[in-house]
Amino acid sequence: MNKKFRWVPALLCAVLVIGAVFAAPGAAYRADAATSLSQLQNKLNALKQEQAKLDAQLKNLKSQQESQAAYQQSLQLKIANAQGQIDNLNAQIAGYDAQISEKEAQIAEAQAQINANFETLKARLKAIYMLGEASMLDILFSADNVTDFFNRSQFVQAISDHDQSIISALKTQSENIQAEKESIEEDRAQLAEAKTQYDSQKKELQEAMAESKRIASQLQASQESAAAKQKEINAAFAKADAEIKQWWIDYYKQQEANANANKPVSTGSFIWPMPGYSRKSNITQYFGGANNHRGIDISGAGIYGKTIVAADSGVVAVASYNNAVYGIYVQIDHGNGVATLYGHTSGLLVKAGQTVTKGQAIAYVGSSGISSGPHLHFGVLIRGTPVNPLNYFRLS
């Protein structure tokens, strides 16, 4: 059995004890009956606090899930942007690769032309060398005159110079193409470096996305676990609430059956239980709301130690000094299934079984039990079910 619900059998036993108490003639306000009710209220409020914790936990988990979803959306956009940059750089790199290939082809073509012209030049120079002086004599004797001789010798030299000029131009062209190729390679290297950085960034983003999804999965599991636990707590709360209602059913049955019981005499209307603090501004917490508040809180400057009065005539059903939630509190039965509760007091002026009249002092304001400061928790119950106390008053 879950440890958190081991008290349930104890509650059932408490209900049986309560029944036995009410069955005893003339025992309408025995202390053990009031204690049983206080214990039931303690368990109910413990479950209420557990509900509040689970509600806060679920709210926090939902908020974290929403944050992770927004984070993942942001990462997805960044990943898409990084991929777009990578695709763009890949396209540019491919263009540079094509230009580099083109330049390499041009360099190879220029080198081939250089090699061909160089071979031609070598052949010509070799022929001239082989002819030696005889060739020059042939040119001299075959010339018509000195001018013709010089023209012929210059022509031979011009051929050689022309070949060398072609080779020199081809070399310059090749060097220029090589420089262009190196410039393109530098640009490509820069793009490749940028692509490497984007690849690294994309990898980091993908790793962050994977981690975020892992966290989101854990949050989902935690939320499902908390929701299941909340369902169990809600069921236990409903059961504990029903047991308190049954306490009051048994209480009123016992009251009706016991001819000797000190039965309450109600006037049928309420007065404000906290004299001097009857304005709307004195209500610091209202009935119901997100935390299912089972009454109203009345507070104000200097309220600690002020006198609390009975909202109507009746009989004190509970006068407890050790309630875990309400601390020192009083519960008055007004008859016809109507009761009022006065919690967090600093001290009581009445005891269980005592008859009280409307407006009679019954306790002093305090901050006992679970309380954030001096105030009166005032509740109204119809056969054990809390209702809004402000249904019975008109405040200024």
Side-chain angles (χ1 to χ4, degrees):
M1 180 183 293
N2 192 315
K3 291 182 179 180
K4 292 185 176 179
F5 302 108
R6 287 180 178 173
W7 51 265
V8 174
L11 285 179
L12 295 176
C13 291
V15 173
L16 294 175
V17 170
I18 291 167
V21 168
F22 291 147
Y29 299 103
R30 281 174 50 179
D32 54 354
T35 299
S36 297
L37 177 60
S38 182
Q39 289 173 344
L40 289 171
Q41 289 171 331
N42 284 342
K43 299 303 181 184
L44 184 70
N45 282 288
L47 286 167
K48 181 180 175 183
Q49 292 177 36
E50 189 69 18
Q51 281 180 323
K53 289 180 181 179
L54 285 170
D55 287 342
Q57 181 182 355
L58 284 167
K59 184 178 180 180
N60 182 49
L61 288 170
K62 183 178 179 181
S63 176
Q64 290 186 60
Q65 281 187 315
E66 290 173 351
S67 296
Q68 287 298 325
Y71 179 53
Q72 288 179 24
Q73 186 176 10
S74 173
L75 287 174
Q76 194 60 50
L77 289 173
K78 290 179 180 179
I79 290 172
N81 178 66
Q83 185 59 54
Q85 294 290 345
I86 291 170
D87 293 342
N88 180 51
L89 290 170
N90 279 334
Q92 292 185 60
I93 289 171
Y96 280 130
D97 286 339
Q99 292 181 48
I100 290 170
S101 296
E102 181 181 353
K103 294 302 178 183
E104 288 175 343
Q106 292 175 4
I107 290 170
E109 181 181 356
Q111 188 62 46
Q113 292 179 10
I114 289 171
N115 293 340
N117 282 276
F118 187 68
E119 291 298 324
T120 300
L121 177 60
K122 285 195 300 181
R124 286 175 179 165
L125 292 174
K126 182 179 180 180
I128 292 172
Y129 174 78
M130 294 296 294
L131 290 172
E133 294 180 356
S135 62
M136 295 302 295
L137 291 173
D138 288 341
I139 292 171
L140 176 62
F141 290 120
S142 62
D144 295 332
N145 50 50
V146 174
T147 301
D148 187 29
F149 170 77
F150 281 111
N151 288 337
R152 292 190 179 200
S153 63
Q154 287 177 355
F155 177 74
V156 173
Q157 184 63 42
I159 292 174
S160 175
D161 291 343
H162 174 70
D163 288 339
Q164 292 184 30
S165 175
I166 290 174
I167 292 171
S168 177
L170 287 172
K171 283 185 176 181
T172 300
Q173 180 183 358
S174 177
E175 289 171 355
N176 290 337
I177 295 172
Q178 181 64 36
E180 291 175 1
K181 175 176 175 287
E182 290 173 356
S183 177
I184 294 171
E185 286 175 339
E186 288 179 2
D187 292 340
R188 184 192 184 285
Q190 292 179 358
L191 289 177
E193 176 62 25
K195 178 181 176 296
T196 299
Q197 293 177 0
Y198 277 110
D199 285 335
S200 178
Q201 180 183 1
K202 179 184 175 184
K203 182 180 179 182
E204 291 176 359
L205 290 170
Q206 288 174 330
E207 290 173 351
M209 176 68 80
E211 176 63 12
S212 178
K213 288 182 177 180
R214 185 189 68 78
I215 293 173
S217 178
Q218 288 182 340
L219 290 172
Q220 181 63 31
S222 297
Q223 189 175 31
E224 291 173 358
S225 176
K229 187 177 180 182
Q230 185 184 52
K231 187 176 180 181
E232 293 177 0
I233 294 294
N234 289 344
F237 183 91
K239 185 174 181 180
D241 198 31
E243 287 168 345
I244 289 178
K245 291 177 182 178
Q246 186 62 47
W247 189 98
W248 283 103
I249 292 172
D250 294 341
Y251 169 85
Y252 289 117
K253 283 183 179 179
Q254 187 273 339
Q255 286 290 87
E256 294 169 0
N258 190 349
N260 299 323
N262 187 12
K263 297 180 181 179
V265 179
S266 173
T267 65
S269 63
F270 289 155
I271 63 170
W272 191 247
M274 199 64 250
Y277 298 86
S278 58
R279 302 180 67 85
K280 287 182 180 179
S281 59
N282 294 123
I283 308 299
T284 55
Q285 189 168 4
Y286 286 84
F287 179 84
N291 62 348
N292 192 28
H293 196 225
R294 300 168 79 84
I296 59 172
D297 289 346
I298 306 169
S299 187
I303 197 171
Y304 188 89
K306 296 292 182 170
T307 301
I308 302 166
V309 300
D312 195 5
S313 300
V315 176
V316 177
V318 178
S320 174
Y321 283 84
N322 60 355
N323 186 271
V325 177
Y326 297 126
I328 303 171
Y329 84 106
V330 178
Q331 208 157 327
I332 300 175
D333 175 19
H334 302 290
N336 299 320
V338 180
T340 52
L341 184 148
Y342 311 78
H344 307 301
T345 74
S346 60
L348 305 181
L349 298 173
V350 295
K351 60 183 179 180
Q354 180 180 339
T355 299
V356 295
T357 58
K358 179 187 290 189
Q360 179 179 334
I362 58 173
Y364 299 111
V365 174
S367 187
S368 57
I370 298 177
S371 172
S372 59
H375 73 282
L376 167 64
H377 173 91
F378 177 62
V380 177
L381 301 93
I382 304 298
R383 293 196 173 275
T385 299
V387 296
N388 190 353
L390 294 181
N391 292 340
Y392 300 86
F393 302 96
R394 288 185 180 180
L395 301 181
S396 58

mmCIF file of all heavy atoms in Angstrom, residues 48-62 226 230 234 290-292:
data_model
loop_
_atom_site.group_PDB
_atom_site.id
_atom_site.type_symbol
_atom_site.label_atom_id
_atom_site.label_comp_id
_atom_site.label_asym_id
_atom_site.label_seq_id
_atom_site.Cartn_x
_atom_site.Cartn_y
_atom_site.Cartn_z
ATOM 1 N N LYS A 48 -5.483 18.301 1.027
ATOM 2 C CA LYS A 48 -5.657 19.574 0.326
ATOM 3 C C LYS A 48 -4.306 20.206 0.021
ATOM 4 O O LYS A 48 -4.070 20.722 -1.075
ATOM 5 C CB LYS A 48 -6.508 20.505 1.181
ATOM 6 C CG LYS A 48 -6.777 21.861 0.545
ATOM 7 C CD LYS A 48 -7.616 22.703 1.479
ATOM 8 C CE LYS A 48 -7.803 24.109 0.931
ATOM 9 N NZ LYS A 48 -8.568 24.964 1.857
ATOM 10 N N GLN A 49 -3.408 20.168 0.997
ATOM 11 C CA GLN A 49 -2.063 20.708 0.790
ATOM 12 C C GLN A 49 -1.309 19.905 -0.268
ATOM 13 O O GLN A 49 -0.578 20.466 -1.085
ATOM 14 C CB GLN A 49 -1.288 20.706 2.100
ATOM 15 C CG GLN A 49 -1.820 21.696 3.131
ATOM 16 C CD GLN A 49 -1.075 21.613 4.447
ATOM 17 O OE1 GLN A 49 0.118 21.386 4.479
ATOM 18 N NE2 GLN A 49 -1.790 21.786 5.542
ATOM 19 N N GLU A 50 -1.511 18.581 -0.238
ATOM 20 C CA GLU A 50 -0.876 17.721 -1.248
ATOM 21 C C GLU A 50 -1.423 18.061 -2.634
ATOM 22 O O GLU A 50 -0.670 18.096 -3.622
ATOM 23 C CB GLU A 50 -1.140 16.253 -0.922
ATOM 24 C CG GLU A 50 -0.356 15.263 -1.776
ATOM 25 C CD GLU A 50 1.127 15.286 -1.492
ATOM 26 O OE1 GLU A 50 1.526 15.793 -0.423
ATOM 27 O OE2 GLU A 50 1.885 14.784 -2.332
ATOM 28 N N GLN A 51 -2.727 18.324 -2.716
ATOM 29 C CA GLN A 51 -3.322 18.741 -3.988
ATOM 30 C C GLN A 51 -2.691 20.037 -4.481
ATOM 31 O O GLN A 51 -2.373 20.165 -5.670
ATOM 32 C CB GLN A 51 -4.831 18.943 -3.812
ATOM 33 C CG GLN A 51 -5.652 17.667 -3.800
ATOM 34 C CD GLN A 51 -7.129 17.967 -3.622
ATOM 35 O OE1 GLN A 51 -7.510 18.877 -2.891
ATOM 36 N NE2 GLN A 51 -7.976 17.199 -4.274
ATOM 37 N N ALA A 52 -2.531 20.996 -3.550
ATOM 38 C CA ALA A 52 -1.941 22.287 -3.931
ATOM 39 C C ALA A 52 -0.515 22.105 -4.441
ATOM 40 O O ALA A 52 -0.105 22.736 -5.431
ATOM 41 C CB ALA A 52 -1.962 23.230 -2.731
ATOM 42 N N LYS A 53 0.258 21.221 -3.779
ATOM 43 C CA LYS A 53 1.632 20.964 -4.220
ATOM 44 C C LYS A 53 1.653 20.347 -5.613
ATOM 45 O O LYS A 53 2.467 20.721 -6.461
ATOM 46 C CB LYS A 53 2.335 20.035 -3.229
ATOM 47 C CG LYS A 53 2.670 20.682 -1.895
ATOM 48 C CD LYS A 53 3.357 19.686 -0.969
ATOM 49 C CE LYS A 53 3.671 20.305 0.385
ATOM 50 N NZ LYS A 53 4.309 19.336 1.306
ATOM 51 N N LEU A 54 0.742 19.386 -5.822
ATOM 52 C CA LEU A 54 0.686 18.730 -7.128
ATOM 53 C C LEU A 54 0.234 19.703 -8.209
ATOM 54 O O LEU A 54 0.741 19.666 -9.339
ATOM 55 C CB LEU A 54 -0.257 17.523 -7.073
ATOM 56 C CG LEU A 54 0.298 16.287 -6.362
ATOM 57 C CD1 LEU A 54 -0.790 15.250 -6.159
ATOM 58 C CD2 LEU A 54 1.448 15.683 -7.154
ATOM 59 N N ASP A 55 -0.735 20.560 -7.867
ATOM 60 C CA ASP A 55 -1.186 21.567 -8.838
ATOM 61 C C ASP A 55 -0.027 22.471 -9.228
ATOM 62 O O ASP A 55 0.172 22.784 -10.410
ATOM 63 C CB ASP A 55 -2.321 22.408 -8.242
ATOM 64 C CG ASP A 55 -3.632 21.632 -8.156
ATOM 65 O OD1 ASP A 55 -3.746 20.610 -8.852
ATOM 66 O OD2 ASP A 55 -4.516 22.047 -7.385
ATOM 67 N N ALA A 56 0.744 22.909 -8.208
ATOM 68 C CA ALA A 56 1.900 23.768 -8.480
ATOM 69 C C ALA A 56 2.951 23.027 -9.301
ATOM 70 O O ALA A 56 3.559 23.588 -10.219
ATOM 71 C CB ALA A 56 2.507 24.258 -7.165
ATOM 72 N N GLN A 57 3.151 21.738 -8.970
ATOM 73 C CA GLN A 57 4.129 20.931 -9.699
ATOM 74 C C GLN A 57 3.711 20.762 -11.154
ATOM 75 O O GLN A 57 4.539 20.915 -12.069
ATOM 76 C CB GLN A 57 4.270 19.561 -9.039
ATOM 77 C CG GLN A 57 5.304 18.654 -9.715
ATOM 78 C CD GLN A 57 5.392 17.284 -9.069
ATOM 79 O OE1 GLN A 57 4.738 17.025 -8.055
ATOM 80 N NE2 GLN A 57 6.178 16.409 -9.646
ATOM 81 N N LEU A 58 2.433 20.464 -11.373
ATOM 82 C CA LEU A 58 1.938 20.295 -12.741
ATOM 83 C C LEU A 58 2.025 21.606 -13.520
ATOM 84 O O LEU A 58 2.368 21.609 -14.705
ATOM 85 C CB LEU A 58 0.494 19.788 -12.717
ATOM 86 C CG LEU A 58 0.324 18.303 -12.378
ATOM 87 C CD1 LEU A 58 -1.129 17.984 -12.070
ATOM 88 C CD2 LEU A 58 0.818 17.440 -13.528
ATOM 89 N N LYS A 59 1.712 22.707 -12.847
ATOM 90 C CA LYS A 59 1.805 24.012 -13.490
ATOM 91 C C LYS A 59 3.250 24.299 -13.883
ATOM 92 O O LYS A 59 3.523 24.795 -14.985
ATOM 93 C CB LYS A 59 1.277 25.094 -12.543
ATOM 94 C CG LYS A 59 1.242 26.486 -13.166
ATOM 95 C CD LYS A 59 0.658 27.500 -12.194
ATOM 96 C CE LYS A 59 0.627 28.902 -12.808
ATOM 97 N NZ LYS A 59 0.064 29.893 -11.855
ATOM 98 N N ASN A 60 4.175 23.989 -12.974
ATOM 99 C CA ASN A 60 5.594 24.206 -13.251
ATOM 100 C C ASN A 60 6.077 23.310 -14.390
ATOM 101 O O ASN A 60 6.824 23.751 -15.276
ATOM 102 C CB ASN A 60 6.410 23.928 -11.986
ATOM 103 C CG ASN A 60 7.899 24.184 -12.189
ATOM 104 O OD1 ASN A 60 8.294 25.224 -12.689
ATOM 105 N ND2 ASN A 60 8.714 23.225 -11.804
ATOM 106 N N LEU A 61 5.648 22.036 -14.377
ATOM 107 C CA LEU A 61 6.037 21.105 -15.442
ATOM 108 C C LEU A 61 5.498 21.570 -16.793
ATOM 109 O O LEU A 61 6.197 21.500 -17.811
ATOM 110 C CB LEU A 61 5.519 19.704 -15.123
ATOM 111 C CG LEU A 61 6.236 18.963 -13.991
ATOM 112 C CD1 LEU A 61 5.468 17.700 -13.612
ATOM 113 C CD2 LEU A 61 7.657 18.604 -14.387
ATOM 114 N N LYS A 62 4.257 22.040 -16.793
ATOM 115 C CA LYS A 62 3.661 22.534 -18.032
ATOM 116 C C LYS A 62 4.430 23.741 -18.543
ATOM 117 O O LYS A 62 4.695 23.865 -19.750
ATOM 118 C CB LYS A 62 2.198 22.900 -17.804
ATOM 119 C CG LYS A 62 1.486 23.361 -19.072
ATOM 120 C CD LYS A 62 0.015 23.674 -18.802
ATOM 121 C CE LYS A 62 -0.679 24.145 -20.073
ATOM 122 N NZ LYS A 62 -2.104 24.486 -19.823
ATOM 123 N N ALA A 226 2.755 12.849 -12.120
ATOM 124 C CA ALA A 226 2.101 13.781 -11.192
ATOM 125 C C ALA A 226 0.591 13.779 -11.404
ATOM 126 O O ALA A 226 -0.179 13.870 -10.437
ATOM 127 C CB ALA A 226 2.663 15.183 -11.387
ATOM 128 N N GLN A 230 -2.041 12.906 -8.721
ATOM 129 C CA GLN A 230 -3.104 13.862 -8.431
ATOM 130 C C GLN A 230 -4.469 13.181 -8.456
ATOM 131 O O GLN A 230 -5.338 13.472 -7.626
ATOM 132 C CB GLN A 230 -3.073 14.998 -9.455
ATOM 133 C CG GLN A 230 -4.067 16.124 -9.162
ATOM 134 C CD GLN A 230 -4.058 17.163 -10.261
ATOM 135 O OE1 GLN A 230 -4.204 16.820 -11.429
ATOM 136 N NE2 GLN A 230 -3.891 18.425 -9.897
ATOM 137 N N ASN A 234 -6.957 13.163 -5.391
ATOM 138 C CA ASN A 234 -8.326 13.672 -5.537
ATOM 139 C C ASN A 234 -9.349 12.659 -5.052
ATOM 140 O O ASN A 234 -10.337 13.017 -4.407
ATOM 141 C CB ASN A 234 -8.601 14.039 -6.994
ATOM 142 C CG ASN A 234 -7.851 15.288 -7.429
ATOM 143 O OD1 ASN A 234 -7.372 16.052 -6.598
ATOM 144 N ND2 ASN A 234 -7.722 15.483 -8.726
ATOM 145 N N ALA A 290 -8.690 28.956 -6.489
ATOM 146 C CA ALA A 290 -7.781 27.908 -6.973
ATOM 147 C C ALA A 290 -7.379 26.937 -5.871
ATOM 148 O O ALA A 290 -7.144 25.752 -6.127
ATOM 149 C CB ALA A 290 -6.535 28.538 -7.593
ATOM 150 N N ASN A 291 -7.302 27.432 -4.626
ATOM 151 C CA ASN A 291 -6.874 26.562 -3.530
ATOM 152 C C ASN A 291 -8.056 25.987 -2.743
ATOM 153 O O ASN A 291 -7.885 25.443 -1.660
ATOM 154 C CB ASN A 291 -5.937 27.316 -2.580
ATOM 155 C CG ASN A 291 -6.624 28.506 -1.920
ATOM 156 O OD1 ASN A 291 -7.719 28.895 -2.329
ATOM 157 N ND2 ASN A 291 -5.986 29.086 -0.927
ATOM 158 N N ASN A 292 -9.276 26.158 -3.303
ATOM 159 C CA ASN A 292 -10.470 25.577 -2.689
ATOM 160 C C ASN A 292 -10.586 25.966 -1.213
ATOM 161 O O ASN A 292 -10.788 25.135 -0.341
ATOM 162 C CB ASN A 292 -10.456 24.048 -2.835
ATOM 163 C CG ASN A 292 -11.794 23.414 -2.485
ATOM 164 O OD1 ASN A 292 -12.847 24.043 -2.621
ATOM 165 N ND2 ASN A 292 -11.758 22.172 -2.024
#
